[in-house]
């Protein structure tokens, strides 16, 4: 059973991690905050306070003074990385008469650590009431509020924190001397394999020995079709290539019900749906886009269940001899198709 202590422990740990990351940035002079950070503070405070805070910058970019406003008029919040006396005073001086009237309480929320004392004295513009002892918050202040919450609200706060902390910590990473971040979007992209494709001579020799002698025009067609197929395969995500390899491995060995294709490699769609635990539709969509497969489900009453046709290439001899050639070279479909490696051809 998950206890209050578990929720509070994870919340406090997250607050500490965020605050320390912000303090590191502050020491380096990096005090800008992302829109995501501001949105997180709004969502967090809504869960803690029961407010309806929303971004004022959505309504008016660079809204002076405040970043978040409560629809119910209780709180107007400025979110900042640092909360020096000068920064707080600047925030209060930037308030508009409209803002002063709209919100009962103005709060400065510091993502780092607030000072132990402040020299910010009134009177303030537009008759605003502001107490530096009570109206400057940091994560320590929010942690105190969290401790007093009933279990259902505590769990709601925990969900907000858990859902956002990982991304927030990434947003707050500090770049190295070359401007590179520990976590970056480039690293998340799968590297494409190098283009691996033979000149077709090995395949031609195999095909003419097993099937028929080819005309020169067809030999040229095969030589052009091979690199085209190799390029299509390397453009696919690895998992999609592996899905295609499995389709070929588990192909039907009887004639297709729909005889509209020459040298057809085909599979039963319904069988694939049952056997594959992955996202079949998404994988098929990618393969169809590249022209490697097609799904034919026309005339189900006459022709039966839909079939997947692995066209792979418009070159009929290449399609006809591909699987047998792979076997003849002691290779597997997974190595050639899944690995996008046609160098043996």
């Amino acid at each position: 059973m998950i206890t209050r202590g578990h929720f509070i422990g994870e919340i406090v740990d997250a607050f500490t991690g965020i605050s320390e990351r912000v303090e590191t940035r502050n020491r380096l002079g990096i005090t800008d905050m992302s829109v995501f950070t501001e949105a997180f503070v709004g969502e967090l405070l809504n869960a803690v306070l029961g407010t309806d805070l929303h971004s004022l910058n959505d309504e008016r970019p660079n809204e002076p003074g405040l970043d978040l406003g409560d629809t119910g008029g209780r709180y107007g919040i400025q979110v900042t990385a640092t909360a020096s006396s000068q920064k707080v005073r600047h925030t209060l001086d930037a308030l508009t008469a409209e803002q002063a009237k709209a919100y009962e309480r103005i709060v400065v929320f510091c993502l780092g650590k607030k000072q132990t004392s402040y020299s910010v004295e009134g009177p303030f513009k537009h008759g605003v009431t502001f107490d530096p002892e009570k109206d400057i918050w940091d994560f320590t202040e929010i942690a105190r509020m969290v401790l007093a919450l009933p279990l259902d609200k505590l769990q709601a706060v925990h969900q907000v924190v858990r859902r956002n902390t990982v991304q927030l910590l990434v947003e707050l990473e500090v770049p190295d001397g070359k401007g590179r971040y520990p976590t970056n979007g480039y690293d998340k992209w799968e590297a494409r394999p190098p283009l691996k494709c033979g000149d077709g001579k090995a395949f031609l020799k195999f095909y003419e020995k097993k099937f028929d002698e080819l005309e020169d025009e067809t030999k040229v067609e095969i030589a052009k079709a091979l690199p085209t197929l190799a390029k299509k395969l390397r453009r696919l995500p690895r998992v999609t290539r592996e899905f295609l390899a499995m389709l070929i491995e588990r192909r039907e060995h009887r004639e297709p019900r729909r005889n509209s294709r020459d040298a057809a490699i085909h599979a039963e769609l319904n069988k694939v749906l049952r056997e594959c635990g992955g996202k079949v539709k998404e994988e098929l969509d990618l393969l169809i886009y590249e022209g490697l497969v097609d799904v034919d489900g026309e005339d189900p009453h006459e022709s039966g269940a839909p079939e997947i046709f692995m066209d792979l290439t418009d070159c009929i001899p290449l399609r006809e001899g591909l699987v047998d050639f792979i076997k003849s070279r002691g290779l597997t479909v997974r190595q050639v198709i899944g690995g996008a490696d046609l160098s043996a051809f």
Side-chain angles (χ1 to χ4, degrees), residues 64 129 194 205 332:
T129 300
K205 183 178 180 180
T332 66

Side-chain angles (χ1 to χ4, degrees), residues 130-259:
F130 185 86
D131 185 348
E133 294 296 321
K134 298 178 180 179
D135 297 328
I136 302 174
W137 298 349
D138 58 11
F139 281 111
T140 300
E141 187 73 22
I142 304 304
R144 292 193 187 102
M145 298 180 189
V146 167
L147 289 173
L149 291 176
L151 185 58
D152 59 335
K153 291 187 177 181
L154 178 62
Q155 189 169 4
V157 172
H158 178 263
Q159 289 174 349
V160 171
V161 171
R162 193 170 190 178
R163 184 170 62 248
N164 292 283
T165 298
V166 172
Q167 183 176 345
L168 184 57
L169 289 174
V170 170
E171 292 275 345
L172 295 171
E173 285 181 343
V174 177
D176 63 17
K178 295 182 179 180
R180 296 174 301 194
Y181 290 86
T183 305
N184 64 72
Y186 303 117
D187 293 339
K188 296 179 181 179
W189 285 76
E190 179 183 317
R192 286 181 173 174
L195 183 64
K196 297 180 181 180
C197 183
D199 58 13
K201 291 180 179 178
F203 178 80
L204 290 174
K205 183 178 180 180
F206 164 82
Y207 187 91
E208 290 190 320
K209 182 178 180 180
K210 182 176 178 63
F211 298 99
D212 299 308
E213 188 173 340
L214 295 167
E215 297 180 359
D216 290 342
E217 183 179 346
T218 304
K219 293 179 181 179
V220 172
E221 181 185 355
I222 292 172
K224 291 181 178 179
L226 275 170
T228 299
L229 176 58
K231 290 174 183 176
K232 287 183 177 182
L233 290 173
R234 73 181 295 269
R235 283 198 297 263
L236 292 171
R238 174 183 55 79
V239 172
T240 306
R241 294 196 305 270
E242 291 170 353
F243 177 80
L244 176 59
M246 287 301 298
L247 285 179
I248 296 173
E249 284 188 3
R250 299 199 178 188
R251 65 193 181 279
E252 298 294 328
H253 292 280
R254 57 170 176 75
E255 288 295 315
R257 298 188 185 93
R258 296 163 177 82
N259 296 310

